[in-house]
Amino acid sequence: MNDLMAGDLATRLTQQHLHSARPDAPVVAEHAPRAARARTLRAGLAAELRTVARWVEPRPAKACQPS
């Protein structure tokens, strides 16, 4: 039963993909660019994660002390 459904889905998706290259195919508008807020949020989060990583990073062992 699943083979029939998968075959039908594959056929429909292939036809949809092939028909999308036609000259009279509908045009989908591009998405608006993301706001700069996402970039600043991502940069801020990365900086905080680096700070936390420095806190939990193991310290190098001193030469005369056991690890």
Side-chain angles (χ1 to χ4, degrees):
M1 186 65 172
N2 287 337
D3 292 336
L4 294 175
M5 291 177 8
D8 180 49
L9 180 63
T11 303
R12 279 199 246 157
L13 290 176
T14 302
Q15 286 178 348
Q16 181 183 5
H17 177 70
L18 292 175
H19 290 280
S20 69
R22 300 179 73 182
D24 60 341
V27 177
V28 178
E30 291 189 28
H31 297 287
R34 285 184 143 179
R37 184 184 72 142
R39 265 188 243 132
T40 58
L41 177 67
R42 186 175 178 186
L45 182 61
E48 291 299 321
L49 286 173
R50 282 189 214 103
T51 302
V52 171
R54 279 188 220 107
W55 290 341
V56 298
E57 182 179 18
R59 305 246 189 274
K62 296 186 178 171
C64 297
Q65 293 181 348
S67 309

